[in-house]
Amino acid sequence: MKRHETLPLVPIQRGEGVWLYDFDDRRYLDTVSSWWVNLFGHSNPRINAAITDQLGKLEHVMLAGFTHEPVVQLSERLRELAPAGLGHCFYGSDGASATEIALKMSAHYWRNSGRPQKTQFISLQNSYHGETLGALSVTDVALFKEAYGALIFQNATVVSPDSRDAAEGEDARVFALRCAAQLEVHLQQHHASIAAFIIEPLVQGAAGMAMYHHAYLRRARELCDQYQVHLIADEIAVGMGRTGTLFACEQAAITPDFLLLSKGITGGYLPLSVVMTTDAIYQAFYADEVARGFLHSHSYTGNPLACRAALATLDIFAADDVLNSNRAKAAYLNRVAAPLRVHPKVKNFRNTGMIWAFEVDTPHADFAQRCFSLALEHELLLRPMGNTVYFMPPYVISEREIDFLIGQTLKILDRLGC
Ligand SMILES: *Cc1c(COP(=O)(O)O)cnc(C)c1O
């Protein structure tokens, strides 16, 4: 709060498409999709209409002992679209609650299966899976954890296949497999106590958009099968088309035991999360004794308004052939960004689907803040992580808006003396 004395909050009055407008009618291009949630722009007429229609019918009903049309439809649609075998949906209200649900369900599965000693989890170095206590326990960001060390449970991390760490000239795939070999060693030694391996497929967002080769995921799936450890794919940020396919796991042609979705699932409108899982997991809870069941609830689980926003979002994917049109947009952005790629102060320019990132060689320790403030003056909402600048724009961004984004970013780098 003290920082805001010199860096005031930006009050936003309205949004339209990729633009946010403040009360003086200054505009900002939302290059981070309001923290990675927005897909089809602010105030999207089709999502607005779906929510408004639902509002006239049913705003909410509890999802215990009751059900409703939007949640049934959404579950069926997701089952059809997700990697084969993920036929069961459990709803939560945000990303962190999806992580909690998956961790609990995994450990409870092993307990129900006569292996109660499997209670540990592993994650990648620099992983991010949310900030409630359980999720924080599998998150590897020191700044977020430090103050709560005594409250969270300890879990091991394994080396991240982040391509930036590859040896000079080493192929990303070769490097990914080299990292997977370390996962293998860890599983070999500890599998008897490990319930699950949780991972952000293809891109580790909070690690600074660390991107890696899908060969790692394929190998991780094999190893998890071999050592009887669940694979939890946290697609909260990378699902819903972000990496170029509807789900990132598709690129490795794998089915995880748990698939977590949130953020973009409602197009960035309302909080909702879903944990998709397999029949094998479902069956372990299918019993007469109540204690074998998965007893976990959130008041707003499967909220009908949020489900309708999600259904409208899926409708847009189908009607507008979004994945193909994103491929064309990504190619266009990569062409326009050529001067950025070769900029003397820019390193590791990289792209996966509709995510771009690069590091800036800067003398300023407070680069992120300076860049954020200067970007606002240049009509961009840019939110660097350390010296990593990234673009994760809403999919409705036009070619003209892409030109603007790249042109302004180059000006900002010049002004910062980078
Ligand atoms: C944002 C995020 C979460 C947490 O979601 P919240 O809705 O913010 O709790 C978990 N995992 C990943 C990969 C995320 O990007």
Side-chain angles (χ1 to χ4, degrees):
M1 292 314 291
K2 191 163 179 201
R3 265 195 188 180
H4 289 309
E5 289 169 12
T6 51
L7 198 76
L9 299 175
V10 185
I12 294 300
Q13 185 176 33
R14 65 191 175 89
E16 196 185 329
V18 298
W19 298 100
L20 295 166
Y21 295 87
D22 70 14
F23 286 79
D24 301 321
D25 234 27
R26 276 194 300 258
R27 59 175 198 169
Y28 309 99
L29 200 162
D30 188 356
T31 75
V32 301
S33 294
S34 284
W35 250 357
W36 323 346
V37 300
N38 192 290
L39 302 188
F40 300 122
H42 295 279
S43 282
N44 182 289
R46 286 183 277 180
I47 304 176
N48 288 1
I51 295 174
T52 308
D53 176 64
Q54 184 59 37
L55 205 45
K57 293 176 179 160
L58 175 68
E59 82 300 337
H60 186 66
V61 62
M62 64 182 188
L63 207 62
F66 288 81
T67 190
H68 55 79
E69 194 177 348
V71 81
V72 173
Q73 282 185 356
L74 181 59
S75 307
E76 294 296 337
R77 293 271 293 276
L78 288 173
R79 178 185 59 83
E80 285 162 21
L81 294 166
L86 295 168
H88 299 277
C89 293
F90 193 99
Y91 288 86
S93 28
D94 50 42
S97 66
T99 300
E100 301 287 342
I101 289 161
L103 299 180
K104 283 177 69 179
M105 207 185 277
S106 170
H108 196 161
Y109 167 92
W110 293 116
R111 179 187 163 87
N112 281 354
S113 309
R115 306 190 55 188
Q117 68 283 11
K118 282 168 88 69
T119 55
Q120 296 283 303
F121 300 98
I122 49 177
S123 64
L124 291 183
Q125 272 166 11
N126 303 320
S127 57
Y128 182 91
H129 299 290
E131 287 166 65
T132 51
L133 293 175
L136 199 56
S137 298
V138 289
T139 287
D140 186 37
V141 181
L143 182 65
F144 301 158
K145 284 180 91 152
E146 237 162 48
Y148 313 105
L151 309 183
I152 59 186
F153 51 95
Q154 293 310 311
N155 285 291
T157 54
V158 290
V159 68
S160 163
D162 180 348
S163 326
R164 289 172 297 182
D165 297 333
E168 187 79 33
E170 187 178 24
D171 176 73
R173 184 171 178 282
V174 172
F175 176 65
L177 291 172
R178 189 151 69 80
C179 294
Q182 296 190 40
L183 170 66
E184 181 169 17
V185 170
H186 188 89
L187 287 174
Q188 235 161 26
Q189 291 169 353
H190 304 288
H191 64 92
S193 60
I194 297 174
F197 175 35
I198 182 166
I199 187 168
E200 297 157 86
L202 299 185
V203 183
Q204 292 184 274
M209 300 300 160
M211 300 181 183
Y212 62 87
H213 196 275
H214 57 71
Y216 187 88
L217 292 172
R218 259 199 100 82
R219 186 68 187 130
R221 176 70 279 182
E222 286 170 7
L223 291 169
C224 285
D225 284 340
Q226 184 183 342
Y227 289 102
Q228 298 197 305
V229 164
H230 293 141
L231 181 64
I232 303 175
D234 176 352
E235 297 217 14
I236 290 166
V238 297
M240 308 311 288
R242 252 316 145 187
T243 65
T245 43
L246 192 58
F247 304 108
C249 280
E250 291 171 39
Q251 295 184 41
I254 58 160
T255 298
D257 299 287
F258 299 93
L259 177 70
L260 316 186
L261 301 172
S262 189
K263 291 209 164 100
I265 193 168
T266 61
Y269 266 67
L270 288 160
L272 180 76
S273 63
V274 53
V275 175
M276 301 187 71
T277 192
T278 63
D279 223 34
I281 303 286
Y282 175 84
Q283 287 301 335
F285 294 89
Y286 186 80
D288 291 321
E289 309 117 81
V290 171
R292 274 183 77 92
F294 187 64
L295 306 178
H296 182 108
S297 60
H298 293 286
S299 310
Y300 283 102
T301 285
N303 174 264
L305 295 169
C307 289
R308 277 298 295 276
L311 285 165
T313 297
L314 291 176
D315 286 342
I316 296 175
F317 268 103
D320 295 3
D321 196 10
V322 167
L323 295 175
N324 270 321
S325 108
N326 279 0
R327 270 189 268 284
K329 280 183 194 188
Y332 181 80
L333 195 152
N334 282 326
R335 280 200 300 280
V336 176
L340 256 184
R341 193 184 284 270
V342 300
H343 191 285
K345 298 291 179 180
V346 167
K347 280 192 313 202
N348 306 322
F349 185 95
R350 55 195 180 277
N351 162 234
T352 298
M354 290 294 278
I355 308 173
W356 289 264
F358 55 88
E359 276 73 52
V360 176
D361 182 8
T362 170
H364 305 299
D366 58 349
F367 170 80
Q369 243 185 69
R370 281 174 186 249
C371 182
F372 171 78
S373 298
L374 196 59
L376 291 179
E377 290 173 27
H378 287 75
E379 300 186 312
L380 296 186
L381 161 45
L382 264 188
R383 215 167 173 286
M385 295 184 266
N387 68 335
T388 302
V389 175
Y390 71 92
F391 308 138
M392 201 155 159
Y395 303 161
V396 292
I397 192 168
S398 68
E399 294 193 348
R400 254 188 58 214
E401 288 158 347
I402 289 172
D403 295 342
F404 183 81
L405 164 63
I406 302 299
Q408 297 297 85
T409 303
L410 285 164
K411 276 187 213 160
I412 292 163
L413 292 184
D414 284 346
R415 281 273 306 275
L416 283 169
C418 297

